[in-house]
PDB file of all heavy atoms in Angstrom:
ATOM      1  N   PRO A 131       3.388 -13.765   6.468  1.00 88.00           N
ATOM      2  CA  PRO A 131       3.801 -14.832   5.570  1.00 88.00           C
ATOM      3  C   PRO A 131       3.168 -16.170   5.833  1.00 88.00           C
ATOM      4  O   PRO A 131       2.843 -16.937   4.968  1.00 88.00           O
ATOM      5  CB  PRO A 131       5.301 -14.878   5.725  1.00 88.00           C
ATOM      6  CG  PRO A 131       5.666 -13.486   6.191  1.00 88.00           C
ATOM      7  CD  PRO A 131       4.560 -13.070   7.066  1.00 88.00           C
ATOM      8  N   HIS A 132       2.966 -16.484   7.138  1.00 89.00           N
ATOM      9  CA  HIS A 132       2.334 -17.737   7.479  1.00 89.00           C
ATOM     10  C   HIS A 132       0.846 -17.801   7.137  1.00 89.00           C
ATOM     11  O   HIS A 132       0.235 -18.869   7.036  1.00 89.00           O
ATOM     12  CB  HIS A 132       2.497 -18.035   8.994  1.00 89.00           C
ATOM     13  CG  HIS A 132       3.841 -18.597   9.365  1.00 89.00           C
ATOM     14  ND1 HIS A 132       4.967 -17.818   9.406  1.00 89.00           N
ATOM     15  CD2 HIS A 132       4.226 -19.859   9.694  1.00 89.00           C
ATOM     16  CE1 HIS A 132       5.979 -18.554   9.775  1.00 89.00           C
ATOM     17  NE2 HIS A 132       5.547 -19.831   9.950  1.00 89.00           N
ATOM     18  N   LEU A 133       0.266 -16.617   6.955  1.00 89.00           N
ATOM     19  CA  LEU A 133      -1.141 -16.525   6.614  1.00 89.00           C
ATOM     20  C   LEU A 133      -1.377 -16.440   5.118  1.00 89.00           C
ATOM     21  O   LEU A 133      -2.523 -16.667   4.661  1.00 89.00           O
ATOM     22  CB  LEU A 133      -1.795 -15.336   7.341  1.00 89.00           C
ATOM     23  CG  LEU A 133      -1.646 -15.321   8.817  1.00 89.00           C
ATOM     24  CD1 LEU A 133      -2.316 -14.048   9.400  1.00 89.00           C
ATOM     25  CD2 LEU A 133      -2.378 -16.533   9.449  1.00 89.00           C
ATOM     26  N   THR A 134      -0.337 -16.094   4.379  1.00 86.00           N
ATOM     27  CA  THR A 134      -0.501 -15.833   2.913  1.00 86.00           C
ATOM     28  C   THR A 134       0.276 -16.836   2.076  1.00 86.00           C
ATOM     29  O   THR A 134      -0.240 -17.294   1.051  1.00 86.00           O
ATOM     30  CB  THR A 134      -0.033 -14.420   2.587  1.00 86.00           C
ATOM     31  OG1 THR A 134       1.306 -14.210   3.020  1.00 86.00           O
ATOM     32  CG2 THR A 134      -0.951 -13.375   3.316  1.00 86.00           C
ATOM     33  N   ALA A 135       1.473 -17.178   2.427  1.00 84.00           N
ATOM     34  CA  ALA A 135       2.272 -18.085   1.623  1.00 84.00           C
ATOM     35  C   ALA A 135       1.741 -19.519   1.762  1.00 84.00           C
ATOM     36  O   ALA A 135       1.560 -20.020   2.827  1.00 84.00           O
ATOM     37  CB  ALA A 135       3.750 -18.037   2.072  1.00 84.00           C
ATOM     38  N   SER A 136       1.476 -20.145   0.599  1.00 82.00           N
ATOM     39  CA  SER A 136       0.865 -21.474   0.593  1.00 82.00           C
ATOM     40  C   SER A 136       1.756 -22.497   1.326  1.00 82.00           C
ATOM     41  O   SER A 136       1.280 -23.379   1.980  1.00 82.00           O
ATOM     42  CB  SER A 136       0.643 -21.915  -0.846  1.00 82.00           C
ATOM     43  OG  SER A 136       1.834 -21.920  -1.573  1.00 82.00           O
ATOM     44  N   ARG A 137       3.065 -22.377   1.208  1.00 82.00           N
ATOM     45  CA  ARG A 137       3.990 -23.317   1.826  1.00 82.00           C
ATOM     46  C   ARG A 137       3.963 -23.181   3.371  1.00 82.00           C
ATOM     47  O   ARG A 137       3.964 -24.145   4.079  1.00 82.00           O
ATOM     48  CB  ARG A 137       5.390 -23.080   1.339  1.00 82.00           C
ATOM     49  CG  ARG A 137       6.437 -24.013   1.954  1.00 82.00           C
ATOM     50  CD  ARG A 137       7.806 -23.804   1.324  1.00 82.00           C
ATOM     51  NE  ARG A 137       8.239 -22.419   1.512  1.00 82.00           N
ATOM     52  CZ  ARG A 137       8.842 -21.986   2.619  1.00 82.00           C
ATOM     53  NH1 ARG A 137       9.067 -22.817   3.603  1.00 82.00           N
ATOM     54  NH2 ARG A 137       9.212 -20.752   2.675  1.00 82.00           N
ATOM     55  N   LEU A 138       3.820 -21.890   3.817  1.00 85.00           N
ATOM     56  CA  LEU A 138       3.855 -21.649   5.251  1.00 85.00           C
ATOM     57  C   LEU A 138       2.464 -21.887   5.915  1.00 85.00           C
ATOM     58  O   LEU A 138       2.370 -22.053   7.112  1.00 85.00           O
ATOM     59  CB  LEU A 138       4.337 -20.239   5.545  1.00 85.00           C
ATOM     60  CG  LEU A 138       5.766 -19.928   5.129  1.00 85.00           C
ATOM     61  CD1 LEU A 138       6.065 -18.485   5.377  1.00 85.00           C
ATOM     62  CD2 LEU A 138       6.738 -20.849   5.846  1.00 85.00           C
ATOM     63  N   LYS A 139       1.437 -21.855   5.117  1.00 84.00           N
ATOM     64  CA  LYS A 139       0.081 -22.081   5.673  1.00 84.00           C
ATOM     65  C   LYS A 139      -0.073 -23.467   6.287  1.00 84.00           C
ATOM     66  O   LYS A 139      -0.929 -23.639   7.162  1.00 84.00           O
ATOM     67  CB  LYS A 139      -0.954 -21.903   4.597  1.00 84.00           C
ATOM     68  CG  LYS A 139      -1.327 -20.470   4.225  1.00 84.00           C
ATOM     69  CD  LYS A 139      -2.440 -20.417   3.208  1.00 84.00           C
ATOM     70  CE  LYS A 139      -2.868 -19.005   2.906  1.00 84.00           C
ATOM     71  NZ  LYS A 139      -3.968 -18.950   1.935  1.00 84.00           N
ATOM     72  N   ARG A 140       0.760 -24.398   5.824  1.00 84.00           N
ATOM     73  CA  ARG A 140       0.701 -25.741   6.382  1.00 84.00           C
ATOM     74  C   ARG A 140       1.334 -25.867   7.759  1.00 84.00           C
ATOM     75  O   ARG A 140       1.208 -26.895   8.430  1.00 84.00           O
ATOM     76  CB  ARG A 140       1.315 -26.738   5.393  1.00 84.00           C
ATOM     77  CG  ARG A 140       0.561 -26.866   4.097  1.00 84.00           C
ATOM     78  CD  ARG A 140       1.044 -28.088   3.287  1.00 84.00           C
ATOM     79  NE  ARG A 140       2.376 -27.903   2.846  1.00 84.00           N
ATOM     80  CZ  ARG A 140       2.750 -27.385   1.667  1.00 84.00           C
ATOM     81  NH1 ARG A 140       1.761 -26.973   0.820  1.00 84.00           N
ATOM     82  NH2 ARG A 140       4.016 -27.248   1.279  1.00 84.00           N
ATOM     83  N   HIS A 141       2.038 -24.831   8.167  1.00 86.00           N
ATOM     84  CA  HIS A 141       2.670 -24.896   9.509  1.00 86.00           C
ATOM     85  C   HIS A 141       1.621 -24.816  10.564  1.00 86.00           C
ATOM     86  O   HIS A 141       0.615 -24.152  10.444  1.00 86.00           O
ATOM     87  CB  HIS A 141       3.697 -23.755   9.643  1.00 86.00           C
ATOM     88  CG  HIS A 141       4.910 -23.950   8.808  1.00 86.00           C
ATOM     89  ND1 HIS A 141       6.059 -23.174   8.969  1.00 86.00           N
ATOM     90  CD2 HIS A 141       5.173 -24.813   7.775  1.00 86.00           C
ATOM     91  CE1 HIS A 141       6.965 -23.563   8.096  1.00 86.00           C
ATOM     92  NE2 HIS A 141       6.441 -24.529   7.357  1.00 86.00           N
ATOM     93  N   GLN A 142       1.907 -25.439  11.687  1.00 81.00           N
ATOM     94  CA  GLN A 142       0.977 -25.447  12.839  1.00 81.00           C
ATOM     95  C   GLN A 142       1.213 -24.263  13.723  1.00 81.00           C
ATOM     96  O   GLN A 142       2.279 -24.164  14.308  1.00 81.00           O
ATOM     97  CB  GLN A 142       1.100 -26.758  13.597  1.00 81.00           C
ATOM     98  CG  GLN A 142       0.014 -26.858  14.713  1.00 81.00           C
ATOM     99  CD  GLN A 142       0.087 -28.162  15.437  1.00 81.00           C
ATOM    100  OE1 GLN A 142       0.870 -29.049  15.075  1.00 81.00           O
ATOM    101  NE2 GLN A 142      -0.741 -28.317  16.467  1.00 81.00           N
TER     102      GLN A 142
END
Side-chain angles (χ1 to χ4, degrees):
H132 279 75
L133 303 178
T134 56
S136 58
R137 180 175 59 84
L138 297 177
K139 280 184 177 180
R140 294 193 292 269
H141 289 193
Q142 185 177 356

